[in-house]
Amino acid sequence: MEPTDIRAYQRQLVLFCLGIHGDSTAAEALELMGNAALEAGAPREAMLLTTAAAAGLLRELDREGLVRRCENRASGRDGRPVATWAVSDTGRVDSMPLPPSGQQQLAMPQLAPAPRHRTRGGLTMQQLMGLLNVEFDCMLEQMDREHQATQQRARQEFEAFRQRAMRVWAASEASA
């Protein structure tokens, strides 16, 4: 498995996922790609592992005109707006790409192969843990969004209370 094969697979996979899902942040694209790669049985070496790596890939594809940057979306997790991306007409991929084959490790070689016990769903333990990590990250993002919304509501309620208090104070000053 060559690095060029892996990069080509990642490029095709993100284009395919964006074509199905639509506008996505880098974190969402990473999750979509991870789920699709797990379902296809892709080796771990072929998967992007960080949001930063997914963002870099999306920027690369944007420079080539295969994706386009859309409106920013507020992110409670990042504390700032984050870019969303959509596949362009020239970048659209209609079928799920096949993962690269081969068992060559690109990172540090392992001393002994990890046991490949299958769970009831047919996933290996590593695949299951990867899926759980992605789900946990999604849960954290959702909790962050809910927390930001709660804070915003509290600010609005406080501002409304402050305005009412100022009107009462002004009225009491006028009558004195």
Side-chain angles (χ1 to χ4, degrees):
M1 184 169 27
E2 295 297 319
T4 54
D5 296 336
I6 292 172
R7 192 60 169 184
Y9 171 70
Q10 292 169 345
R11 291 167 55 93
Q12 293 296 309
L13 185 60
V14 74
L15 293 172
F16 174 75
C17 291
L18 287 177
I20 290 176
H21 188 264
D23 294 4
S24 301
T25 64
E28 292 167 342
L30 178 66
E31 178 188 353
L32 293 167
M33 290 173 63
N35 289 339
L38 284 174
E39 286 179 18
R44 181 170 174 80
E45 304 88 49
M47 295 184 208
L48 290 177
L49 300 178
T50 65
T51 303
L57 178 60
L58 288 165
R59 284 190 301 272
E60 175 185 313
L61 294 170
D62 182 38
R63 283 189 299 271
E64 296 173 16
L66 300 175
V67 298
R68 69 181 186 291
R69 187 171 176 164
C70 301
E71 292 186 25
N72 289 347
R73 186 182 307 157
S75 171
R77 181 176 195 164
D78 296 319
R80 60 181 171 75
V82 294
T84 59
W85 304 89
V87 68
S88 67
D89 291 335
T90 58
R92 191 162 305 279
V93 173
D94 295 323
S95 61
M96 174 74 177
L98 295 175
S101 60
Q103 297 301 320
Q104 175 184 349
Q105 294 283 334
L106 293 181
M108 294 181 4
Q110 295 180 350
L111 297 178
R116 294 213 166 251
H117 300 288
R118 296 273 178 185
T119 62
R120 271 191 252 165
L123 299 174
T124 65
M125 190 55 69
Q126 291 84 1
Q127 290 172 328
L128 181 60
M129 292 309 294
L131 182 60
L132 289 175
N133 282 331
V134 169
E135 290 296 324
F136 180 69
D137 287 343
C138 287
M139 181 186 74
L140 285 177
E141 284 185 25
Q142 177 65 32
M143 290 174 71
D144 285 340
R145 283 191 297 272
E146 291 170 0
H147 178 70
Q148 292 291 327
T150 301
Q151 284 183 328
Q152 184 63 30
R153 279 193 306 275
R155 284 186 194 99
Q156 290 169 346
E157 289 175 17
F158 178 75
E159 182 59 28
F161 170 76
R162 189 181 71 74
Q163 289 175 0
R164 287 192 307 271
M166 293 299 287
R167 283 194 301 268
V168 169
W169 183 64
S172 67
E173 286 290 316
S175 65

